[in-house]
């Protein structure tokens, strides 16, 4: 045990599995190896030019250098509300039902911190984006993980949890889902809202991949469900929809009680994102819907190139309907070695970096995740290496 492990909260956090892969990738690249990186879901594209221009202009003005507002400037809150009106037909009050956050991660971590008391149960699918589980643990809640081979099985699992002794305080979901790529329709959302209504639970929907639905599929917002605002919030992120991952802008929208709780916590913790970034984000929401469509189409094309290459290499996988990932079951003969060792082997022998499934929780074992962050040319190059590796391994 290292010194840091002895701190109460840090001791509850397992070593970050992805760090092992990142270190290995860095070493191989330093040694001159051209590793094709499908690891982290870190968008490689540029932020729309109009947004960058606005940032530069706003950054020239001294009035924007001061502390901003912890819950976000009014115009930005008004703009996200307009987007929800336009895209989902959802009406929100920009004063009481919308808050700007420092990305979705800030919203998730601090919302859980604000609304969870020690021992409160938060139920969510597993595998999942790590903060969904560890945000609960850091807030001293009880993370109840349900497998999600498909949406219907998850709903059945949820039904069963409600029959048990401890009712969940919060249902934490996210669709299109990272890493499994599971997508749902509005009826699924209605069913989750119904169960939460009947049992007095709250819902948090992480909508980080709101705009990444493929082949005509449009992911639903949970706020489209009538009455959802009475018990649900949705977290929307600029990271994937506008290639703005490094800018750190997101939103929490919907239920007034939860928005108020989050704004109280955040008023102690931060002064909001640098104001020129917030001003530039207004331009993204107002003028850059075309860029969002292009970003989605690009991921869809990369998905197709990757799937074609995987099939040609002898590793066929099901087509994801949304997100920016492929959740690939490890080929039978490599499965016993586990996802971390398999990911290391892929990097060493095929010069391909992927995320091991175990990094997304115990139920992620048996899979690796490919992100669509390499262009079509490099994806084809990687698939040729993969074919060679699988043929000879
Ligand atoms: C499900 C999910 N939520 C949230 C995030 C992070 O979003 P942000 O960059 O807005 O913090 C990610 C990023 O990969 C994600 O996959």
């Amino acid at each position: 045990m290292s010194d840091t492990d002895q701190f109460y909260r840090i001791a509850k956090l397992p070593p970050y599995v992805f760090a092992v892969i990142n270190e290995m990738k860095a070493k191989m690249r330093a040694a001159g190896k051209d590793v094709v990186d499908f690891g982290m879901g870190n968008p490689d594209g540029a932020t729309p030019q109009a947004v960058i221009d606005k940032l530069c202009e706003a950054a020239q003005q001294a009035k924007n250098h001061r502390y901003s507002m912890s819950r976000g400037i009014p115009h930005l809150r008004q703009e996200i509300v307009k987007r929800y009106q336009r895209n989902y037909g959802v009406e929100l009050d920009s004063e009481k039902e919308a808050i700007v956050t420092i990305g979705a991660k800030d919203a998730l971590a601090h919302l859980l911190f604000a609304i969870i008391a020690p021992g409160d149960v938060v139920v969510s699918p597993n595998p999942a984006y790590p903060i969904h589980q560890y945000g609960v643990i850091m807030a001293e809640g009880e993370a109840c993980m349900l497998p999600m081979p498909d949406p219907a099985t998850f709903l059945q699992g949820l039904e069963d949890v409600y029959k048990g002794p401890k009712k969940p305080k919060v249902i934490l979901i996210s669709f299109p889902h990272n890493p499994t790529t599971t997508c749902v329709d509005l009826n699924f959302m209605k069913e989750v809202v119904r169960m939460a209504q009947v049992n007095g639970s709250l819902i948090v929907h992480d909508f980080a991949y709101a705009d990444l639905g493929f082949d005509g599929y449009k992911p639903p917002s949970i706020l489209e469900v009538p009455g959802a605002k009475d018990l649900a919030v949705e977290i929307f992120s600029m990271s994937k929809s506008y290639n703005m991952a490094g800018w750190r802008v997101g939103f929490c929208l919907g239920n007034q009680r939860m928005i108020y709780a989050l704004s109280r916590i955040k008023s102690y913790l931060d002064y909001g994102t640098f104001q020129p970034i917030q001003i530039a984000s207004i331009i993204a929401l107002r003028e850059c819907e075309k860029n969002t469509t292009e970003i989605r189409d690009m991921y869809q094309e990369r998905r197709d190139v990757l799937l074609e290459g995987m099939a040609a290499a002898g590793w066929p996988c099901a087509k994801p309907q949304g997100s920016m990932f492929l959740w690939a079951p490890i080929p039978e003969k490599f499965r016993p070695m586990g996802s971390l060792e398999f990911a290391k082997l892929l990097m060493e022998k095929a010069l391909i970096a992927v995320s091991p499934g175990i990094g997304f929780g115990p139920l992620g074992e048996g899979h690796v995740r490919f992100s669509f962050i390499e262009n079509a040319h490099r994806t084809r190059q990687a698939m040729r290496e993969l074919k060679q590796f699988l043929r000879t391994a």
Side-chain angles (χ1 to χ4, degrees):
M1 189 184 273
S2 71
D3 283 346
T4 46
D5 288 337
Q6 287 162 15
F7 289 118
Y8 175 71
R9 281 200 175 72
I10 305 305
K12 295 181 181 185
L13 302 177
Y16 204 54
V17 174
F18 304 125
V20 178
I21 295 297
N22 285 341
E23 270 167 36
M24 189 172 165
K25 183 180 70 190
K27 272 195 194 140
M28 289 189 62
R29 282 186 167 167
K33 306 268 192 214
D34 182 14
V35 176
V36 181
D37 187 5
F38 299 105
M40 207 176 154
N42 193 355
D44 58 316
T47 301
Q49 191 57 44
V51 183
I52 298 169
D53 291 345
K54 193 68 185 178
L55 171 74
C56 295
E57 182 195 314
Q60 295 293 346
Q61 296 174 15
K63 66 176 185 194
N64 291 327
H65 299 169
R66 315 175 68 181
Y67 292 128
S68 187
M69 291 170 78
S70 168
R71 65 197 184 101
I73 56 176
H75 280 122
L76 180 52
R77 281 185 273 118
Q78 284 155 17
E79 209 57 47
I80 187 69
V81 162
K82 281 187 205 153
R83 189 185 200 268
Y84 262 72
Q85 205 323 300
R86 214 164 53 231
N87 288 8
Y88 306 107
V90 168
E91 301 290 344
L92 293 163
D93 177 341
S94 67
E95 275 301 303
K96 297 194 179 119
E97 296 173 335
I99 177 173
V100 181
T101 62
I102 306 170
K105 261 192 169 183
D106 168 40
L108 280 162
H110 289 133
L111 179 63
L112 290 168
F113 192 58
I115 65 176
I116 296 300
D120 278 350
V121 174
V122 178
V123 63
S124 59
N126 191 276
Y129 188 55
I131 191 73
H132 290 186
Q133 188 181 334
Y134 291 103
V136 176
I137 289 169
M138 284 191 268
E140 303 202 29
E142 232 174 77
C144 168
M145 298 176 281
L146 291 181
M148 194 180 52
D150 57 77
T153 308
F154 175 74
L155 285 179
Q156 187 54 54
L158 200 52
E159 194 87 64
D160 293 343
V161 170
Y162 279 119
K163 286 184 196 140
K166 249 184 140 176
K167 306 261 180 271
K169 166 112 183 219
V170 177
I171 304 170
L172 171 50
I173 50 176
S174 179
F175 298 101
H177 188 248
N178 174 16
T180 65
T181 77
T182 302
C183 291
V184 299
D185 59 16
L186 193 58
N187 282 332
F188 174 96
M189 293 299 194
K190 284 183 180 160
E191 191 51 24
V192 177
V193 170
R194 187 194 65 76
M195 275 194 234
Q197 272 165 346
V198 171
N199 294 287
S201 300
L202 299 168
I203 304 171
V204 177
H205 180 228
D206 176 355
F207 207 20
Y209 301 97
D211 296 296
L212 300 186
F214 304 135
D215 308 317
Y217 164 67
K218 181 175 181 247
S221 156
I222 197 162
L223 300 177
E224 289 176 68
V225 178
K229 270 200 297 192
D230 297 340
L231 44 76
V233 287
E234 186 155 86
I235 294 168
F236 176 77
S237 168
M238 303 294 283
S239 296
K240 310 294 157 65
S241 295
Y242 299 96
N243 277 343
M244 289 175 68
W247 296 57
R248 312 309 302 132
V249 184
F251 301 88
C252 186
L253 307 153
N255 181 259
Q256 287 191 20
R257 265 181 72 222
M258 281 192 274
I259 302 287
Y260 176 71
L262 178 58
S263 65
R264 278 295 300 278
I265 287 278
K266 279 175 62 63
S267 70
Y268 284 90
L269 296 176
D270 67 67
Y271 287 108
T273 296
F274 184 43
Q275 198 151 288
I277 290 179
Q278 294 191 55
I279 293 168
S281 298
I282 294 173
I283 299 302
L285 293 170
R286 189 185 290 160
E287 297 178 11
C288 299
E289 219 60 11
K290 190 171 124 286
N291 302 75
T292 301
T293 307
E294 285 167 8
I295 290 166
R296 181 202 62 204
D297 291 349
M298 177 203 66
Y299 285 130
Q300 184 175 312
E301 190 205 334
R302 289 177 179 183
R303 174 200 67 172
D304 293 342
V305 171
L306 181 64
L307 276 175
E308 205 183 299
M310 298 276 290
W315 187 0
C317 291
K319 200 185 245 192
Q321 225 191 338
S323 79
M324 53 185 286
F325 309 111
L326 176 67
W327 182 238
I330 298 172
E332 201 70 46
K333 74 172 176 181
F334 298 101
R335 211 165 290 168
M337 71 194 299
S339 59
L340 180 57
E341 288 308 312
F342 180 63
K344 285 187 196 167
L345 188 70
L346 269 186
M347 179 129 50
E348 201 182 309
K349 304 286 188 207
L351 299 177
I352 290 173
V354 295
S355 293
I358 187 70
F360 300 97
L363 303 181
E365 194 44 285
H367 289 74
V368 290
R369 191 195 72 177
F370 288 74
S371 300
F372 307 150
I373 51 164
E374 292 276 13
N375 65 32
H377 173 71
R378 282 181 61 77
T379 300
R380 286 195 188 92
Q381 171 191 324
M383 292 302 105
R384 283 193 293 275
E385 291 285 342
L386 181 70
K387 188 172 182 177
Q388 181 68 15
F389 162 69
L390 289 176
R391 190 181 287 154
T392 53

